[in-house]
Amino acid sequence: MATKPVVPPKPNLPVAPKTPDDGGALVVERTTQRVEPPRMYQVVMLNDDFTPMEFVIEVLQHFFGKSREAATQIMLKIHLDGKGVCGVYSHEIAETKVALVMDAAHGAGHPLQAVTEPVE
């Protein structure tokens, strides 16, 4: 008793009707998929009356890679406006930055607060 060879099934591709001038070529249309970019979040530091300005500058330099001048400008904005944007990141990175800032502030005994906000 001989066994029949296994023949893989033919793919179910759409086939254009054959015309005499196309030589029997198969044309499959490619559809492009649109991928949305990830939603971005900004890390916002909130002002308080107890955290030293120098500590805020050091946090901005260490965790956000800001220069001394840029960190000073952001610190002044936080001080004068009540809050200031430290950077814009994807959700996971923004949450990690907030956690790092909060841990550093807590470790130093300061009540500094940071939050994430979606970028509109």
Side-chain angles (χ1 to χ4, degrees):
M1 189 184 230
T3 59
K4 293 182 183 179
V6 178
V7 179
K10 293 183 180 179
N12 222 1
L13 297 175
V15 178
K18 293 183 181 182
T19 57
D21 60 336
D22 71 1
L26 175 66
V27 177
V28 178
E29 290 187 32
R30 179 177 290 190
T31 57
T32 58
Q33 294 181 346
R34 253 182 110 86
V35 178
E36 294 290 326
R39 189 164 188 190
M40 301 303 281
Y41 291 81
Q42 56 191 10
V43 176
V44 178
M45 227 180 268
L46 306 176
N47 186 41
D48 62 68
D49 294 332
F50 304 102
T51 304
M53 293 179 179
E54 188 60 37
F55 180 77
V56 174
I57 291 171
E58 289 176 15
V59 166
L60 289 165
Q61 286 180 296
H62 182 75
F63 295 114
F64 298 96
K66 303 295 182 183
S67 67
R68 180 87 177 160
E69 294 77 25
T72 303
Q73 291 299 316
I74 294 170
M75 179 274 300
L76 288 173
K77 179 157 180 58
I78 294 167
H79 182 69
L80 297 174
D81 296 345
K83 64 181 184 175
V85 177
C86 304
V88 178
Y89 308 95
S90 65
H91 185 260
E92 293 80 12
I93 294 174
E95 289 293 332
T96 302
K97 297 267 187 191
V98 167
L100 291 170
V101 168
M102 299 294 287
D103 287 346
H106 180 72
H110 301 301
L112 181 66
Q113 297 289 311
V115 295
T116 60
E117 296 177 353
V119 175
E120 299 298 328

